[in-house]
Amino acid sequence: MDNETKYQKELIVNWHITEACNHRCNYCFAKWDKQNNELMNNEESVSKLMDEIQKLPSILNNKYLTKFESIRLNLVGGETFLNLRKVTKIIHQAKQRQFNLSAITNGSRLNDELIELIADSFGSIGFSVDSLENATNIEIGRTEKNSVMNTNKVLTNINHIKKLNPSIDIKINTVVSSLNRLENLSTFIDKASPNKWKVFKVLPVVTRENEISQYDFIQFVQRHSKFEDIISSENNDEMTDSYLMIDPIGRFFQNSILGNGYSYSRPIINIGIDKALDETKFDANKFHNRYRNNLISSHQVS
Ligand code: SF4
C-alpha cells in the first residue's frame, strides 16, 4: 500500500447535539454546562455550524498534512434520537452538504419510523451496550423509569435496520468499568454481528467512580479475543485530545484525564471554525496517527 492510499479520506466530526438523555449512566460524560441554548433548537444556527464544519477538511489538510476529501458527521448525545423532529432537520441539512452520516444511540427510542430514517440516511449506526445483565444495567443506570435497557430489543432493531439497508455498518460501543469488567458479551456480539466493536476503558472525565485498572481492561479485551478482527479498543491516553468533538452549544471541547471536566473553544459560529480549532487542545500527532493508520473512530457516549 503506498502512502497515498494509507491516508484516511473521510474526516469524522463528532457533534454532541444534546445533553438530554433518558438514561442515567453513572460514568456518563455527556455533561457540559447545562445551558439551555443547545444549537439544535435553532435551525439558522445549525445551518451556520454546518457551513463552518464544511471548511474543516481543507483547514486540517493545510495544518496537519492530512488528505481529507469528505466529512462524516457523527451525531452523538446525550441520546441522539430523543427529539426526532430536530434530529430530522439536522440530517436534512447534513445531506444538503453531502456529509456522510453516522450516529451513536442507546437504542431506547427506536421505532419503525426512526429505523427507516436510520436505514435510509446513515452509513453507520452504533449502539451502546455495556452489559447483558439486568442487575448490572440497573447499577450502571441504563434504565428509564422502571424499565431496564432491553438488549434483545437492540438485537431486533439491528436486524431490522440491516434488512432495510444491508450495506449499513453496525457498531457496538462498550464502556468497561468496575461494574461490567468481569462480563462476557460474546453471545450478544455473535448475534449482533457488528462490523466494529469499540471497547473503551471508562474515562474519568467527570467522575473517578467506577474506574478500572489497565490490567482489568486488558483482561476484558482478551476474554473476547475471538472478536479481535472487529474489536477496536482504546485506553484513556488514546482517547484523550485525539477526537474532533463539538458540544451541544457548538464549541470544540476536549477531555481532561485529570477528572476535572473539559476544556472548550469559544462557540464555532461566533468566531469561525479556524479560530475555534486553534483554541482547542488536541494532540496533532495522535490525531494524525489515528487517521494516517486508517483507524475510523467514533465517540463512546450515546
Ligand atoms: S452514557 Fe449515553 S446512554 Fe448513558 S446517560 Fe450518558 S448519554 Fe445517556
Side-chain angles (χ1 to χ4, degrees):
M1 195 184 281
D2 61 25
N3 280 342
E4 201 60 30
T5 51
K6 262 201 310 194
Y7 277 93
Q8 172 68 33
K9 301 207 185 306
E10 185 182 58
L11 173 66
I12 300 157
V13 179
N14 299 282
W15 180 19
H16 292 257
I17 58 175
T18 183
E19 183 168 331
C21 187
N22 52 335
H23 286 177
R24 293 281 171 275
C25 304
N26 47 20
Y27 59 74
C28 178
F29 65 73
K31 293 180 173 70
W32 295 278
D33 285 351
K34 290 252 183 307
Q35 301 187 34
N36 291 324
N37 50 348
E38 294 189 343
L39 221 67
M40 73 182 299
N41 296 323
N42 182 317
E43 246 181 285
E44 201 186 322
S45 299
V46 171
S47 174
K48 280 187 189 161
L49 180 67
M50 299 275 189
D51 286 343
E52 291 299 317
I53 289 174
Q54 205 162 20
K55 299 172 188 166
L56 265 180
S58 64
I59 292 172
L60 291 167
N61 291 347
N62 283 337
K63 274 190 180 158
Y64 301 113
L65 303 178
T66 45
K67 310 260 184 192
F68 295 118
E69 292 173 0
S70 61
I71 292 171
R72 169 151 66 87
L73 189 62
N74 186 40
L75 302 177
V76 268
E79 170 45 35
T80 310
F81 297 111
L82 216 48
N83 189 322
L84 188 52
R85 191 178 56 82
K86 288 177 187 165
V87 180
T88 305
K89 286 186 176 164
I90 291 174
I91 292 170
H92 180 67
Q93 295 230 25
K95 280 175 150 179
Q96 280 182 329
R97 291 165 179 81
Q98 271 91 45
F99 294 170
N100 299 320
L101 278 161
S102 60
I104 309 290
T105 176
N106 63 26
S108 59
R109 285 293 193 266
L110 264 63
N111 55 23
D112 287 350
E113 183 190 358
L114 186 47
I115 284 172
E116 269 177 41
L117 181 71
I118 290 169
D120 190 45
S121 308
F122 287 69
S124 152
I125 180 79
F127 292 86
S128 305
V129 178
D130 298 336
S131 172
L132 308 183
E133 305 291 333
N134 278 351
T136 309
N137 277 323
I138 290 170
E139 234 187 316
I140 290 172
R142 288 201 176 273
T143 57
E144 182 173 14
K145 294 182 185 148
N146 290 328
S147 74
V148 190
M149 173 181 185
N150 183 341
T151 48
N152 285 328
K153 185 176 167 242
V154 173
L155 283 174
T156 307
N157 289 336
I158 287 174
N159 286 332
H160 193 168
I161 291 169
K162 275 189 193 165
K163 220 179 210 174
L164 295 175
N165 179 358
S167 63
I168 196 167
D169 268 7
I170 302 290
K171 294 183 183 169
I172 304 296
N173 281 5
T174 299
V175 177
V176 187
S177 69
S178 58
L179 302 174
N180 63 347
R181 69 188 171 87
L182 297 175
E183 270 204 48
N184 191 326
L185 272 64
S186 299
T187 51
F188 177 85
I189 299 297
D190 269 330
K191 287 182 191 155
S193 186
N195 302 76
K196 183 176 268 192
W197 182 18
K198 296 213 72 178
V199 179
F200 301 93
K201 184 177 172 198
V202 67
L203 189 61
V205 170
V206 179
T207 168
R208 286 196 169 273
E209 226 182 289
N210 308 127
E211 258 190 286
I212 54 166
S213 66
Q214 187 61 12
Y215 175 80
D216 284 338
F217 181 63
I218 289 169
Q219 290 284 102
F220 184 94
V221 173
Q222 283 180 348
R223 192 175 313 128
H224 298 94
S225 58
K226 78 175 209 181
F227 302 107
E228 64 182 359
D229 288 350
I230 57 163
I231 284 188
S232 149
S233 64
E234 287 194 5
N235 62 30
N236 293 167
D237 182 54
E238 286 161 332
M239 286 165 66
T240 304
D241 302 341
S242 62
Y243 286 100
L244 277 175
M245 302 187 293
I246 299 173
D247 80 350
I249 65 169
R251 305 170 295 183
F252 280 122
F253 72 98
Q254 288 296 338
N255 302 325
S256 154
I257 52 171
L258 303 173
N260 57 0
Y262 300 120
S263 58
Y264 298 96
S265 73
R266 282 175 288 169
I268 292 167
I269 62 171
N270 293 355
I271 61 168
I273 205 153
D274 204 351
K275 264 196 195 143
L277 196 63
D278 286 341
E279 293 181 358
T280 311
K281 181 181 149 291
F282 81 105
D283 187 318
N285 282 331
K286 281 189 209 168
F287 180 79
H288 198 262
N289 283 338
R290 177 188 295 285
Y291 286 111
R292 194 190 56 207
N293 295 327
N294 207 16
L295 289 171
I296 303 172
S297 303
S298 57
H299 198 258
Q300 84 176 69
V301 176
S302 68

